[in-house]
Amino acid sequence: MKKKLRVMKFGGTSVGDAACIARVAQILKDAAKEGPVVAVVSAMSGVTNRLIEAAKRAEAGDGEHAHRIFEALRKQHDTALGSLIRDDEKRTWLSASLSKIFGEGEQLCKGTALLHELTPRTLDTISSLGERLSAPMVAGALQELGVPSEPVEATELIVTDSYHGGADPIRERTRERSQARLRPLLERGITPVATGFIGATESGVLTTLGRGGSDYSATILGAALDADEIVIWTDVDGVLTADPRLVKEARTIPEISYREATELAYFGAKVLHPKTLRAVEQAGIPVWIRNSFAPEHAGTKITPKGRSNGGGVKALTAIRDVALITIGGPGIVGLPDVVGRTFSTTAELKANVLLISQSSSQNDICFIVAAPDAKRTAAALRKEFAQDVAHEKVEHITLDPNIAIVAVVGENMRGTPGVAARTFSSVARENVNLIAIAQGSSESNISFVVSEKDMKAAVEAANREFGLGAPVSRESVVKVS
Ligand code: ASP
Ligand code: MG
């Protein structure tokens, strides 16, 4: 029987320090015994943030601050290397190659500080350094365990468009490159360790896939290589029924569908980058979410269709770093194209709109944007509708940052009557006021807006109503050792 090919991605916390990287190397070693594995790694946790901070400080002219960040990062990586690699010669060699990468970053920051200009292209190059540093370390740690391994920069694998800061892959080209570069390594029994987060345009200009994009890298590579399975190793036991900080009975969902996982990702469950499953939609490759700190847990399996848990609702999620913008006034009924103008404005700003609701009386339109986009969106709308406000056609454009979205997610809600009613009655029993409601026609998500202070009560109420906190089923905890 042909051995299964697996792509395994390790997130920032999973490679957070030497001890974590050693754990990852052990997981990879065990996996490589069973069949070929391609590893994909994130930067050590916090590193990408620090790199972006260095770039921004350099842009503001504070090259000194950027330099200090680089010093600290050098130290952090050298410390990890010191305890990971025993052989002096090899450690010195690795340390020198990391130093070269740091050198590149510092040069770029110096240039940025001189020019007081940070282009999206330069920012991508600086923020990509973390992955370029972690991949050789993980490969080195694997070699320490006697597993042949080689770091590979994803600029050689993933061909993207040129949308810096959020590039998308060009499928066929990525396939050709990845196969050509990785297949020969696998055939020779070498475990490649690819940098997550990064790609390059056809002409070789480095791009990034967006923050948290290493998950996406893993599925892009999985699809390109026709992998049998993708495993996203992180620091939680899979996809949970709710955020355990909000609901203490939250538990791991054994199996969930692509659509459900995507809905959860969009609505703030930080476990997956929202674009991750796009890459495997056609091929239908299963994606596991597992905990590198507790590999004995089976985790969550994400499959095209998922598996019913008996009820319609699989999970709850809540996001608080969002704001509600309302455009209102009785006059807007007669105003053509308010909706069009509103969303052309948000599109122009590339503001992330998470939820839209309009009453049929057309007295107001409200929508939710991510908090960082809120102020500039409201300001742009005030400008767009300035004339209409002056003529009292639009009464107000308001911004409320003290709100949260709660979403009830489950693919089998479709066609199950009563889910919305149960959701809203359970919330009403807690005296929580609903500010806005939206259900997509896909019917796999009912979202509602509450005031931020009511968020926890609302999630707990819905959790109780749908029995999501039931004891852990036996199948969700499987000893694999
Ligand atoms: N290191 C990148 C980030 O922090 C990508 C990732 O970790 O997925 O956004
Ligand atoms: Mg992540």
Side-chain angles (χ1 to χ4, degrees):
M1 207 179 80
K2 194 177 145 272
K3 286 198 169 153
K4 269 192 187 173
L5 169 64
R6 283 184 289 178
V7 173
M8 293 195 161
K9 177 257 171 175
F10 297 88
T13 47
S14 297
V15 295
D17 60 24
C20 296
I21 294 177
R23 210 172 287 126
V24 163
Q26 191 57 50
I27 290 174
L28 282 168
K29 181 180 177 172
D30 294 343
K33 276 186 209 145
E34 289 168 22
V37 183
V38 173
V40 176
V41 294
S42 287
M44 293 173 85
S45 66
V47 169
T48 314
N49 285 344
R50 299 290 283 154
L51 289 166
I52 292 172
E53 189 190 337
K56 299 261 158 151
R57 296 304 289 252
E59 183 188 26
D62 192 353
E64 191 41 46
H65 189 103
H67 176 68
R68 281 199 301 277
I69 291 178
F70 271 90
E71 288 292 281
L73 290 176
R74 274 180 195 265
K75 222 178 182 168
Q76 178 185 352
H77 285 79
D78 259 335
T79 310
L81 213 53
S83 40
L84 278 173
I85 315 289
R86 279 183 305 255
D87 183 78
D88 281 342
E89 207 174 311
K90 200 159 135 222
R91 196 176 51 247
T92 312
W93 182 85
L94 254 175
S95 173
S97 47
L98 299 196
S99 185
K100 234 174 96 192
I101 297 172
F102 278 118
E104 268 178 54
E106 288 220 68
Q107 277 307 105
L108 284 169
C109 281
K110 267 188 201 147
T112 301
L114 275 175
L115 294 169
H116 285 255
E117 189 193 4
L118 179 62
T119 63
R121 177 172 167 167
T122 306
L123 179 60
D124 263 0
T125 308
I126 297 173
S127 50
S128 75
L129 297 174
E131 275 72 10
R132 295 179 57 208
L133 295 162
S134 61
M137 294 208 296
V138 172
L142 262 177
Q143 292 160 5
E144 281 291 295
L145 297 182
V147 181
S149 176
E150 192 179 307
V152 180
E153 300 215 355
T155 41
E156 294 182 60
L157 309 172
I158 299 180
V159 183
T160 71
D161 57 26
S162 56
Y163 189 75
H164 286 285
D168 268 307
I170 298 167
R171 205 177 288 236
E172 268 315 305
R173 294 292 293 127
T174 300
R175 190 181 181 83
E176 287 159 20
R177 291 244 183 123
S178 305
Q179 296 261 3
R181 179 75 175 88
L182 300 175
R183 283 276 173 209
L185 294 179
L186 294 170
E187 272 152 27
R188 281 158 51 212
I190 296 170
T191 299
V193 180
T195 54
F197 186 44
I198 311 174
T201 63
E202 187 70 60
S203 55
V205 177
L206 185 143
T207 53
T208 66
L209 308 177
R211 293 307 307 275
S214 298
D215 298 334
Y216 196 23
S217 308
T219 49
I220 292 169
L221 290 178
L225 295 170
D226 300 317
D228 296 282
E229 227 171 67
I230 294 153
V231 188
I232 311 256
W233 290 94
T234 175
D235 56 1
V236 290
D237 289 340
V239 180
L240 303 186
T241 49
D243 183 338
R245 286 167 303 187
L246 293 176
V247 177
K248 62 177 185 316
E249 306 89 9
R251 64 188 175 92
T252 304
I253 306 169
E255 190 173 329
I256 190 171
S257 72
Y258 282 181
R259 174 176 275 285
E260 289 166 336
T262 302
E263 296 278 3
L264 287 172
Y266 268 110
F267 280 90
K270 293 245 159 51
V271 70
L272 263 192
H273 186 278
K275 286 183 185 170
T276 310
L277 296 164
R278 267 190 215 174
V280 287
E281 225 143 60
Q282 269 184 0
I285 305 170
V287 178
W288 287 88
I289 310 286
R290 298 187 58 184
N291 190 346
S292 73
F293 298 88
E296 66 279 11
H297 287 279
T300 297
K301 188 180 191 182
I302 310 174
T303 56
K305 296 240 163 318
R307 177 153 49 98
S308 165
N309 61 354
V313 175
K314 277 274 179 71
L316 307 168
T317 163
I319 351 177
R320 72 177 95 202
D321 44 356
V322 288
L324 178 74
I325 295 179
T326 308
I327 301 180
I332 72 169
V333 179
L335 203 62
D337 212 22
V338 190
V339 178
R341 283 162 67 197
T342 302
F343 294 111
S344 308
T345 307
T346 57
E348 220 162 276
L349 297 172
K350 287 199 186 309
N352 190 7
V353 178
L354 291 113
L355 178 152
I356 303 169
S357 168
Q358 183 192 4
S359 57
S360 54
S361 70
Q362 298 178 13
N363 268 346
D364 56 46
I365 302 167
C366 68
F367 62 96
I368 304 264
V369 289
D373 296 334
K375 279 199 179 134
R376 58 192 185 99
T377 305
L381 286 168
R382 286 189 184 118
K383 205 162 145 206
E384 169 67 34
F385 289 103
Q387 288 276 347
D388 308 285
V389 173
H391 296 130
E392 291 173 11
K393 286 188 175 142
V394 172
E395 208 171 69
H396 56 259
I397 297 175
T398 55
L399 171 66
D400 182 354
N402 302 315
I403 53 110
I405 307 181
V406 176
V408 175
V409 172
E411 190 146 23
N412 290 332
M413 290 181 346
R414 188 172 25 234
T416 308
V419 176
R422 284 175 65 193
T423 306
F424 300 136
S425 345
S426 71
V427 172
R429 278 197 297 274
E430 298 303 313
N431 262 330
V432 170
N433 178 44
L434 296 176
I435 298 169
I437 300 173
Q439 176 186 306
S441 57
S442 72
E443 291 185 48
S444 45
N445 175 334
I446 296 172
S447 314
F448 53 97
V449 180
V450 294
S451 118
E452 195 174 348
K453 65 174 178 15
D454 291 335
M455 177 178 86
K456 189 169 159 56
V459 175
E460 280 173 342
N463 182 71
R464 238 174 290 127
E465 176 65 33
F466 295 106
L468 295 176
V472 179
S473 66
R474 285 200 54 76
E475 60 192 342
S476 67
V477 183
V478 178
K479 287 261 181 232
V480 287
S481 55

